Amino acid sequence: MTYRSIALAGALLTMLACGAGSGAALPASSTAGSVSVQPGDLPSGMVKCDLTGSIDSFLAKEKTADPTTYNSTTAEWNSAKDSGATAAYVAFYADSASHCTTIKTSGSQIGTATYKVVVNFVVEFKDVASATKAYTSDSVFGFSVSQFKGGGVPLVDGTATGLTANSLVLSASVASQAFYIAVWQNKTFMVILALLNNDATTGKKVALAENSRIK
């Protein structure tokens, strides 16, 4: 399994049936790491998994722990770099250290998890034009606007999400699982956020907190 099924809500879409203007690079104080989910954004009891870190750190840890995820994510990161990505940060949180271990060694468990999980990819691009194109036209870590919109599930799109003009939010429950997924582009950043088995209010709070850190 790749983490794309969470970034794209691929598992959910299977069960159910998936801007800013262009211009030169903007001076920014934000980094992919500073924008990413922080412990203070989340309810108490959530544990930061040791997979959390830069994309290079994440890949180094997964190379042995979960080679399948390592290979697929490496390919996705190389594709993102071809589209102008310059940095990426990956954040994982779960409701226990043991669940963090499960995620690290078998990413496929995320798609069927009944416990609380947060998965977050923040990608920084070389300029706003590249970030906009990545959101609107490309596939980034498995997320594609066209596939997401074509999945036949209810979405909130654009400024109605409370995020940016280039944003999508999906909030739904399937069987024993609840999904909150937000994907958006703001300035030179593209953010992919998925919360499993947390309520939608928590999901929105986390997304707004992340977006507020993009300067």
Side-chain angles (χ1 to χ4, degrees), residues 157-172:
D157 187 9
T159 55
T161 64
L163 296 166
T164 65
N166 283 342
S167 62
L168 288 172
V169 170
L170 178 155
S171 181

Side-chain angles (χ1 to χ4, degrees), residues 7-81:
L8 220 197
L12 174 59
L13 297 178
T14 299
M15 286 184 282
L16 290 175
C18 135
S22 63
L26 297 177
S29 57
S30 305
T31 65
S34 70
V35 170
S36 69
V37 173
Q38 305 296 321
D41 300 334
L42 300 171
S44 61
M46 295 297 288
V47 176
K48 181 191 285 187
C49 302
D50 74 351
L51 282 174
T52 298
S54 69
I55 187 65
D56 290 338
S57 170
F58 169 78
L59 290 172
K61 292 173 181 175
E62 284 291 75
K63 188 171 185 177
T64 300
D66 190 347
T68 299
T69 293
Y70 167 80
N71 290 331
S72 60
T73 308
T74 296
E76 289 161 352
W77 175 228
N78 287 337
S79 177
K81 288 190 289 186

Side-chain angles (χ1 to χ4, degrees), residues 3-9 18 76 134-149 155 166-169 181-185 190-193:
Y3 289 108
R4 75 173 57 200
S5 61
I6 296 305
L8 220 197
C18 135
E76 289 161 352
Y135 176 87
T136 58
S137 304
D138 297 337
S139 176
V140 180
F141 287 113
F143 171 79
S144 160
V145 166
S146 60
Q147 187 176 351
F148 212 85
K149 288 184 175 180
L155 299 170
N166 283 342
S167 62
L168 288 172
V169 170
I181 297 161
V183 185
W184 70 98
Q185 175 257 325
M190 180 171 167
V191 183
I192 302 169
L193 171 69

Side-chain angles (χ1 to χ4, degrees), residues 100-114:
C100 282
T101 299
T102 299
I103 292 168
K104 182 176 182 178
T105 57
S106 180
S108 61
Q109 294 296 317
I110 296 177
T112 57
T114 55

